[in-house]
Amino acid sequence: MKAHVDQDTCIGCGLCPSIAPDVFEMKDDGKAHVISDTIPKDSEDSAKEAEGSCPVNAISIL
C-alpha cells in the first residue's frame, strides 16, 4: 500500500501524524507529508484511519 497527501488540499491540522506517526509527518511548510513510499504492514490500519479522519480528504491510501 502507498499513501499520498494532496499538498494543495492539506490544511496542516496534524491529525494524520497523530493517528499514523509511522506513515505521516508534519514538515516546516506546515503540511503533512508521507514518510516513506510504502506503508509498513503493521501501519496499514492506522493509515486507513488517518485517511478517513482527514477533515479535507487530502489523504489517499492506494
Side-chain angles (χ1 to χ4, degrees):
M1 296 184 118
K2 295 183 182 227
H4 172 75
V5 178
D6 182 337
Q7 296 299 304
D8 292 331
T9 304
C10 179
I11 60 171
C13 73
L15 192 57
C16 55
S18 69
I19 294 171
D22 293 339
V23 181
F24 304 101
E25 66 182 351
M26 299 302 291
K27 294 239 177 155
D28 291 339
D29 64 358
K31 298 193 178 194
H33 294 264
V34 177
I35 293 173
S36 66
D37 287 336
T38 304
I39 299 170
K41 283 280 186 201
D42 59 342
S43 297
E44 289 179 353
D45 288 342
S46 61
K48 288 179 185 176
E49 182 182 345
E51 176 187 33
S53 298
C54 180
V56 293
N57 298 316
I59 299 172
S60 301
I61 304 297
L62 313 168

